[in-house]
Amino acid sequence: MIKEEDWTPANGLILEPNALTAAKERVRCLALTAGPGAGKTEMLAQRADFLLRTGSCRYPKRILAISFKVDAARNLKERVRNRCGQDMASRFDSYTFHAFAKRIIDRFRVLLTGKDALDPNYTIGGNRISRRQIAFGDLVPLAIQILQTSSIARNAIRQTYCDVFLDEFQDCTNLQYELLKVAFLGTTTRLTAVGDTKQKIMGWAGAMDGIFATFAEDFNAIPLNMYRNFRSKPRLLRLQNEIIRNLDPNSVMPEDQLSGEEGEIYSWQFQTCREEANQLADATAYWIEQENRPPSEIAILISKQLELYAHQLMEALKIRGVPFRNEQQLQDISTEPAAQLVVDYLSCVYGQCEPKAWIRLLSQMIPFADDDTQNSVMRDINRFIKDQRKAVTLACLLGEPYSGWWESVIAFVKTIGIRTVAALSPEYESMQRLREVLRDTKARIGELLNSEKDLLKALSQFYDDESVRILTIHKSKGLEFDTVIMMAIENEIFFGNQDENRCAFFVGVSRAKRNLILSTATQRERPPNHAGRWDINRTAQQEYLSYANPFLRNQV
């Protein structure tokens, strides 16, 4: 424990003034808005470090963090662990909204009666089955119902947490905000909401308009803004600033933070989509082969309908031998904790020396155990893995080194217990969901082994560290890349709500750290087997391209 005045940001980081103020606030709630790359997640990690190390979050009180994606929740938890150590981080709970709601339901399930009553072994599925199953969309409403009707449940939640962190708060829906109000409004719990209204792209899912102003009024929160962008080079920052002038004039970045000529922006215009695909594939191959850019630092973003727009580009990349990852097909299996467990286990069994995999494996198995329990589990796992390695050696002698890799995984799961695996994520309390993840993990590794016969190399590709990523703008939120290609900057794909489209365009361009390429085509031929509406003749989205025009290097 240290004095508040002695606290400095962990890892020697320097926070800008408003971020430092937010990290050290001890009384009021906070409404913190910041642009992409401004270090919102890092500020939350530093705030957790301050609260825990100074005793501002007094033992046994805990900190609750709520994110919108499983990988974002896990990333924040990992950052806090790295900042203040495992012991203190054990009092930091990081969930998605739905995971938090499910924990409330599981803890106070007996309070649900009548048509809402649930059996102890209830599942989550596509529809509602009396007592036995609820739909995913039922989680938040049922949690609200429990807290509204039971002072015991409300007080239990309130007495558990002295601080609540809300990440990507601009995407909060009416129901999710109602859950927060029922749980914490009118209490001494400090809420810290962070986000960027310019990145609000969840309107289709019910994200609230003016959520930060509403939150600031309801919770008497201090509004703060973080300006500094740690991600993009100056030329790209100036492009982003032009979009910000339209989206939120009050958040325009100061000119003294935008000086310099680093960064490259290009606008490439093509007659046909085939010309576009070949040129983009050639450029990608050149960057990788001639400039030694890591493939994982290159992303190709499409507003929507990825399969319809990227099929020719993917074929062109295949012809040139450029490795790529289609995010729509993978369905984020690599972000699942159970998949991580399987990959780390196999790395330990089949690798010669895999200390990182071993450390991750143990941290997932025994994250909060005392020393004696940790030592006991470590001995048991170590003994089991040694036995499995002997079996692998024998299989190698027989010329079939990887013949039993999945059987080995099954044996491992049986040894540690299925409940241990289920504890990795609240979603796995539905055994159906856990079985799906394990099945998809097996299928994904099997696919990799079809093209890469070395299991360890296949496992290294599981997270596609060696692949160009092709994904929608929505899936790119929270990610960053050296080079970003945004395809089809055309009216025909940016249809519907233009405020949301403009925010989506901003999200896309702000993923780039150093290089940004915008592409358009005058004609896009109908994709194979697509019977729906398709406009062959295209028109460039002139507003979006105009933001980039003053900063272009050259044209194609």
Side-chain angles (χ1 to χ4, degrees):
M1 204 72 64
I2 63 173
K3 295 180 180 179
E4 294 168 18
E5 58 267 25
D6 293 335
W7 180 84
T8 56
N11 292 10
L13 293 177
I14 298 176
L15 301 180
E16 65 174 274
N18 279 353
L20 186 62
T21 297
K24 299 174 70 173
E25 174 60 38
R26 296 182 59 251
V27 180
R28 297 272 297 277
C29 296
L30 295 166
L32 185 66
T33 54
K40 297 184 290 292
T41 304
E42 181 58 38
M43 190 286 297
L44 290 177
Q46 295 288 348
R47 177 156 173 72
D49 181 73
F50 169 81
L51 295 170
L52 292 168
R53 284 208 287 144
T54 64
S56 298
C57 175
R58 191 177 299 276
Y59 183 86
K61 293 278 191 176
R62 306 176 70 83
I63 299 172
L64 169 66
I66 303 179
S67 303
F68 281 83
K69 295 182 180 179
V70 173
D71 53 344
R74 188 171 64 249
N75 175 42
L76 181 53
K77 175 75 173 181
E78 184 64 27
R79 287 198 191 211
V80 173
R81 184 184 296 119
N82 291 337
R83 302 298 175 267
C84 60
Q86 179 57 53
D87 287 345
M88 289 187 178
S90 66
R91 291 196 286 130
F92 186 86
D93 296 333
S94 190
Y95 306 121
T96 62
F97 261 108
H98 289 96
F100 175 56
K102 188 176 188 303
R103 292 184 70 85
I104 294 173
I105 294 170
D106 291 345
R107 186 174 178 183
F108 304 105
R109 176 187 51 79
V110 294
L111 298 175
L112 294 172
T113 58
K115 65 180 180 60
D116 294 320
L118 292 173
D119 294 336
N121 60 342
Y122 78 94
T123 60
I124 301 172
N127 49 35
R128 200 157 182 175
I129 302 174
S130 179
R131 302 192 67 92
R132 294 187 289 121
Q133 181 171 287
I134 58 175
F136 194 70
D138 294 327
L139 288 169
V140 173
L142 287 177
I144 292 172
Q145 178 181 324
I146 288 172
L147 296 184
Q148 284 177 332
T149 57
S150 171
S151 60
I152 295 175
R154 284 197 307 276
N155 290 335
I157 297 298
R158 293 170 177 180
Q159 291 171 11
T160 299
Y161 298 110
C162 65
D163 284 271
V164 178
F165 295 174
L166 306 165
D167 199 8
E168 300 290 357
F169 192 56
Q170 74 277 351
D171 288 332
C172 187
T173 68
N174 286 295
L175 273 176
Q176 291 164 345
Y177 188 57
E178 183 65 23
L179 176 60
L180 293 174
K181 289 199 297 183
V182 172
F184 302 111
L185 187 62
T187 72
T188 58
T189 303
R190 296 169 295 223
L191 277 68
T192 301
V194 301
D196 181 3
T197 55
K198 298 176 291 300
Q199 295 192 65
K200 179 187 169 187
I201 57 176
M202 295 285 284
W204 56 271
M208 292 175 60
D209 288 326
I211 181 64
F212 274 94
T214 300
F215 171 77
E217 181 176 353
D218 290 344
F219 287 85
N220 190 28
I222 302 172
L224 291 172
N225 200 346
M226 288 167 53
Y227 291 100
R228 186 174 178 183
N229 183 307
F230 293 92
R231 173 190 297 149
S232 303
K233 294 298 183 183
R235 186 175 287 267
L236 282 80
L237 287 179
R238 292 199 289 274
L239 161 59
Q240 295 170 30
N241 218 32
E242 292 308 306
I243 308 173
I244 292 172
R245 289 186 198 280
N246 193 318
L247 294 174
D248 183 6
N250 293 327
S251 295
V252 170
M253 290 179 277
E255 292 297 328
D256 59 3
Q257 293 187 14
L258 307 176
S259 60
E261 292 301 318
E262 297 93 344
E264 307 286 336
I265 302 173
Y266 303 93
S267 179
W268 292 353
Q269 300 166 19
F270 303 94
Q271 182 64 32
T272 69
C273 55
R274 290 187 179 273
E275 293 175 8
E276 176 189 53
N278 287 324
Q279 176 66 32
L280 294 180
D282 284 340
T284 303
Y286 178 84
W287 295 327
I288 295 171
E289 297 167 6
Q290 302 300 320
E291 297 187 357
N292 296 317
R293 295 187 202 178
S296 59
E297 282 292 321
I298 301 172
I300 299 165
L301 306 184
I302 299 169
S303 174
K304 52 184 75 77
Q305 297 177 308
L306 184 149
E307 297 289 352
L308 300 181
Y309 281 85
H311 67 285
Q312 290 175 338
L313 175 60
M314 289 188 283
E315 286 299 320
L317 292 172
K318 283 182 183 178
I319 292 172
R320 291 157 179 79
V322 175
F324 65 88
R325 163 178 175 155
N326 181 347
E327 294 278 346
Q328 297 300 103
Q329 291 180 341
L330 295 180
Q331 298 180 334
D332 291 336
I333 187 63
S334 64
T335 67
E336 291 288 344
Q340 173 79 71
L341 185 78
V342 169
V343 171
D344 287 336
Y345 165 72
L346 291 172
S347 297
C348 290
V349 170
Y350 287 91
Q352 294 302 312
C353 182
E354 300 290 338
K356 291 182 179 179
W358 172 249
I359 292 171
R360 285 195 302 265
L361 191 68
L362 291 182
S363 69
Q364 291 187 90
M365 301 300 304
I366 46 177
F368 310 131
D370 56 38
D371 289 344
D372 290 340
T373 302
Q374 286 189 13
N375 291 334
S376 175
V377 173
M378 286 173 64
R379 285 194 298 269
D380 292 343
I381 295 177
N382 192 43
R383 188 182 305 114
F384 179 82
I385 288 179
K386 282 185 176 179
D387 290 341
Q388 292 297 305
R389 287 173 65 89
K390 290 178 182 178
V392 170
T393 301
L394 179 60
C396 288
L397 294 174
L398 298 175
E400 299 177 338
Y402 307 128
S403 58
W405 68 270
W406 187 248
E407 287 73 15
S408 180
V409 170
I410 294 174
F412 175 64
V413 171
K414 288 181 178 178
T415 298
I416 63 176
I418 191 66
R419 295 308 308 175
T420 300
V421 183
L424 295 175
S425 170
E427 293 183 2
Y428 300 163
E429 294 183 26
S430 164
M431 284 297 161
Q432 178 183 353
R433 174 57 183 160
L434 178 56
R435 285 192 292 270
E436 288 175 357
V437 171
L438 292 174
R439 182 194 64 220
D440 292 346
T441 302
K442 177 186 178 183
R444 174 62 180 152
I445 297 174
E447 290 173 3
L448 292 170
L449 282 172
N450 287 334
S451 56
E452 174 53 69
K453 302 307 179 185
D454 186 305
L455 178 60
L456 284 176
K457 290 182 179 179
L459 293 176
S460 71
Q461 294 177 23
F462 189 86
Y463 298 101
D464 291 283
D465 292 336
E466 303 299 328
S467 298
V468 173
R469 296 177 69 173
I470 304 176
L471 62 166
T472 61
I473 292 174
H474 181 264
K475 279 185 174 287
S476 75
K477 284 192 69 174
L479 304 177
E480 59 184 49
F481 305 91
D482 174 87
T483 299
V484 169
I485 298 170
M486 290 187 66
M487 289 180 58
I489 310 302
E490 299 152 7
N491 292 323
E492 288 74 17
I493 192 171
F494 285 98
F495 57 82
N497 187 307
Q498 288 307 309
D499 289 336
E500 291 183 13
N501 283 336
R502 200 173 287 111
C503 287
F505 181 70
F506 179 78
V507 169
V509 300
S510 61
R511 299 310 95 191
K513 293 186 287 187
R514 195 165 60 92
N515 301 285
L516 174 68
I517 296 90
L518 307 175
S519 79
T520 62
T522 303
Q523 291 187 327
R524 292 192 181 275
E525 60 189 66
R526 178 179 293 276
N529 303 318
H530 177 62
R533 175 177 174 176
W534 186 261
D535 296 316
I536 294 177
N537 295 319
R538 297 294 172 126
T539 54
Q541 220 297 350
Q542 293 298 338
E543 177 194 333
Y544 299 170
L545 295 177
S546 71
Y547 295 128
N549 287 339
F551 312 108
L552 298 178
R553 287 298 192 189
N554 60 17
Q555 302 278 359
V556 168

